[in-house]
Amino acid sequence: MAGIVGYGAFIPRHRIKAEEIARQWGKDAAAIRRGLLLEEKSVPGLDEDTITISVEAGRAALERAGIDPRLVGALYIGSESHPYAVKPSGTVVAEALGVGPEVHVADFEFACKAGTEAMFVALSVVESGRAEYAMGIGADTSQGAPNDALEYSASAGGAAYLFGKPHVLAEVVETYSYTTDTPDFWRREGEFYPRHTGRFTGEPAYFRHITAATKAILERTGLKPSDFRYAVFHMPNGKFPLSVGADLGFTKKQLETGWVVPTMGNTYSGSSPTGLAAILDVADPDDLILITSFGSGAGSDSFVLRATELLPERRGRAPTVRSMLEGPRRYLTYGQYANYREKILLNE
Amino acid sequence: MPSPRYWREVPARYRLEAGRCVGCGAVVYPARRICPACRGQQFERLALSRRGTVVTSTVIHVAPTEFQMEAPYAMAVVETPEGARLMVQVADCEPNEVGPGMEVALEFRRIRKEGKSGILCYGHKAVPVR
Ligand SMILES: [Zn+2]
C-alpha cells in the first residue's frame, strides 16, 4: 500500500503578536484573541518565499525517507503565493533538492487547499506506478490586507510529503475530494490582496465542505470519529477547526496536537499539512489520523492515514513542528512587519 | 547579475556543490579548474554539509541600494566540516550576536531580485544553531 515515506515542515522564525497588530489599528486585542483564538503568527523574512520554504521542508522529507533524491519522479507544489506569475516554483525547488531532471513538475493553486491537492496527485502518481516516489508540498507566504481580519492570521510556512510504496511511515487508507463553485474568497489577476465575503466564508464555505468531505470519508472507510487518535482540519483561525471538529464528533484531545494555528497563524496551503506534520511528530504505530483541508472557491480533500512501526525511528532525522514554533523566534514591531511584508515602497 | 551567469552557478548556489582535488584532497568552493593548494587539475564533485562554523564576521550598516531595507545585517566567512569556506549573510538573528566560533546551519534563501521584473536569485544564508 502506498503512503508517506518522508515528511518535513518549515516555519520562518519571525513572529508578530496579535496585540501588536491590534495596537496599530486601535482594535481590542483581547477580543481578537478570544474571538479568533490567535496569539501570534509567523512572518517571512525579506529573503523567504514559497520556494525557500518548500526547499527546506522538502529537504527534511528526504532526510526522513533516506532515499536518493533522483528517484523522485514527480514534484508538485501547492501555494497561492508562488513568487513568479510565469515560471513554476517547482523548477527551482527540484533543482535545489537534487531531484530531476527526470521529473514531472507542476505548481498548483486552490486557495488554502493547494497543498493537499499536490499531495493527492503525488500519491496518485505513486499508486499508478508512474513513479517510484513523488513529492507534494503545501507552502505559502500568505497575504492579508492591512487592517483586515485576515491580517491577524495570514502567515508563512509549509510542509512536504514524499509518497512511495516501500518503507512507509504512514499508510494512506483512503482519500476523498469534494468541490463546488462557492465564491467565498478570491483574488483577481493583478490584485495585491484577496477579497472575502465575511461571514459567508463560514457556514456555506468552510463548514459545508469540511463536513461533507469528512462524513464521506468516514462512510467509505466505515470508521467513526472515536476510532481516530488525531484529526486536523484546515485552520483559517483558531475557532473554526475546533468548532467543525466538535460538530463532527471529535474531542479537543484528538484535535489539539495538529491545532498549530494559535502560534503559527494560517499558512494557507501549508496550514492543515503542517498540522499533520505536528501529528506525525508524536503519533504511535497503528494510530489512525484524519486530515481534511479546505480551499476557498471551494473544496476539501480528506485523507485517512495509519502510522506504521517505522514512524517513531524516522522522525528524529529532522526538526519537529513544535520545535520550530517554540524554538528561537524574533518578535517584530508593526513597522518591521510592514517592511518584511514589503508594504513600504521606495523609488526604483 | 545577468541570468545566464546565475544559471551557470546553480549547482554551487542551490546544492552547495564544491570541488575536491583528486591530488591533495583540498575542498574548494565554488569549484575551480586549478587547485590553489597543489595546482592539480582533477576534481571530483562534492556536496557540502549544510552547516559550519563562523571564522570571521562583520556587520553591514551601509548596504548596497538593493539590500538597504535589510541593513544592518551580518556577513560571515563560514567553514564547513569539509574545510570549504564561503561568504554568506547570517540571517534570523541580531547582527551583533554573530562572531567567530558561532555554529550555523546553511538554509536556502532568496539572495536578490533582479529589479522589479527580472529573475529571482536563490542560494544559501547562515542561521545560528541554538
Ligand atoms: Zn590539490
Side-chain angles (χ1 to χ4, degrees):
Chain A
M1 189 185 273
I4 295 165
V5 299
Y7 73 96
F10 184 80
I11 302 162
R13 296 177 185 83
H14 311 288
R15 297 285 185 281
I16 188 164
K17 287 193 174 285
E19 274 93 349
E20 177 65 9
I21 299 173
R23 192 187 56 77
Q24 164 68 21
W25 303 111
K27 296 279 166 65
D28 178 3
I32 283 150
R33 291 174 65 165
R34 208 169 43 240
L36 300 174
L37 303 177
L38 298 171
E39 298 286 324
E40 60 189 57
K41 67 168 189 174
S42 60
V43 180
L46 281 165
D47 54 4
E48 291 176 299
D49 59 23
T50 290
I51 289 176
T52 65
I53 291 166
S54 297
V55 169
E56 288 299 324
R59 282 174 172 173
L62 286 168
E63 298 277 345
R64 285 190 171 114
I67 62 151
D68 180 347
R70 284 169 300 185
L71 298 175
V72 179
L75 173 68
Y76 305 115
I77 301 175
S79 180
E80 62 174 77
S81 48
H82 290 292
Y84 287 99
V86 177
K87 177 168 167 52
S89 301
T91 56
V92 179
V93 175
E95 191 82 51
L97 294 178
V99 163
E102 206 171 280
V103 60
H104 186 244
V105 167
D107 281 5
F108 291 157
E109 180 273 323
F110 195 143
C112 292
K113 92 162 182 80
T116 56
E117 201 176 32
M119 291 162 64
F120 201 103
V121 179
L123 169 69
S124 307
V125 167
V126 168
E127 283 177 334
S128 73
R130 284 263 171 187
E132 201 174 344
Y133 297 100
M135 190 181 280
I137 301 177
D140 254 307
T141 52
S142 319
Q143 287 283 358
N147 201 16
D148 183 277
L150 283 181
E151 196 176 26
Y152 295 93
S153 58
S155 68
Y161 288 88
L162 184 64
F163 294 90
K165 282 179 181 164
H167 310 298
V168 300
L169 313 187
E171 294 168 359
V172 179
V173 177
E174 187 60 275
T175 62
Y176 183 83
S177 269
Y178 184 90
T179 307
T180 71
D181 177 0
T182 308
D184 58 323
F185 173 106
W186 64 91
R187 179 170 65 81
R188 294 266 301 274
E189 184 68 46
E191 296 296 310
F192 272 135
Y193 302 112
R195 280 181 58 183
H196 59 85
T197 44
R199 295 181 68 85
F200 186 74
T201 58
E203 214 45 63
Y206 180 88
F207 288 91
R208 174 186 170 199
H209 292 81
I210 290 200
T211 305
T214 304
K215 281 187 170 163
I217 203 166
L218 291 178
E219 200 180 304
R220 277 193 177 192
T221 52
L223 294 166
K224 49 190 188 304
S226 58
D227 293 328
F228 291 86
R229 177 91 181 269
Y230 303 102
V232 61
F233 301 103
H234 173 55
M235 296 167 271
N237 54 53
K239 209 166 192 175
F240 278 19
L242 295 185
S243 160
V244 79
D247 292 351
L248 285 161
F250 291 89
T251 63
K252 180 95 190 274
K253 196 167 183 324
Q254 289 167 297
L255 299 173
E256 63 194 1
T257 304
W259 189 60
V260 290
V261 60
T263 51
M264 182 178 77
N266 175 10
T267 55
Y268 287 31
S269 305
S271 172
S272 49
T274 308
L276 174 61
I279 289 170
L280 295 175
D281 286 340
V282 297
D284 291 320
D286 285 327
D287 281 349
L288 278 173
I289 303 161
L290 172 79
I291 168 175
T292 304
S293 64
F294 171 72
S296 291
S300 281
D301 296 325
S302 229
F303 295 73
V304 170
L305 307 164
R306 186 195 305 274
T308 71
E309 297 285 335
L310 207 50
L311 177 62
E313 63 177 82
R314 290 292 182 84
R315 61 184 161 223
R317 294 183 181 182
T320 63
V321 171
R322 293 288 168 187
S323 76
M324 286 182 268
L325 285 176
E326 289 153 20
R329 284 158 288 174
R330 294 183 76 224
Y331 286 94
L332 306 177
T333 61
Y334 193 89
Q336 290 171 313
Y337 167 74
N339 178 28
Y340 279 34
R341 296 310 283 130
E342 299 183 301
K343 292 175 199 293
I344 297 172
L345 302 178
L346 302 178
N347 286 338
E348 282 294 310
Chain B
M1 186 193 319
S3 309
R5 183 179 147 202
Y6 167 74
W7 176 78
R8 278 196 295 276
E9 293 171 355
V10 157
R13 291 179 176 275
Y14 286 17
R15 298 189 296 273
L16 296 174
E17 283 185 10
R20 178 160 47 201
C21 174
V22 173
C24 77
V27 175
V28 288
Y29 178 88
R32 298 192 196 186
R33 291 246 173 94
I34 295 174
C35 174
C38 76
R39 296 178 181 265
Q41 292 186 34
Q42 261 193 305
F43 284 91
E44 56 189 12
R45 242 185 344 191
L46 158 87
L48 301 177
S49 311
R50 292 190 297 269
R51 61 195 157 84
T53 309
V54 171
V55 177
T56 183
S57 67
T58 186
V59 178
I60 307 292
H61 292 278
V62 183
T65 316
E66 62 178 309
F67 298 113
Q68 64 179 338
M69 297 305 265
E70 291 186 51
Y73 55 86
M75 293 294 297
V77 172
V78 170
E79 185 170 305
T80 72
E82 295 80 15
R85 288 185 173 196
L86 49 156
M87 168 87 92
V88 287
Q89 188 180 329
V90 188
D92 297 1
C93 65
E94 301 311 319
N96 292 321
E97 294 169 13
V98 180
M102 180 185 247
E103 297 292 318
V104 294
L106 295 167
E107 283 188 359
F108 197 76
R109 296 296 169 99
R110 196 176 60 226
I111 305 299
R112 57 184 294 267
K113 297 174 176 177
E114 263 186 7
K116 193 170 151 48
S117 60
I119 63 161
L120 305 172
C121 301
Y122 294 89
H124 284 80
K125 289 188 182 180
V127 296
V129 176
R130 287 180 253 227

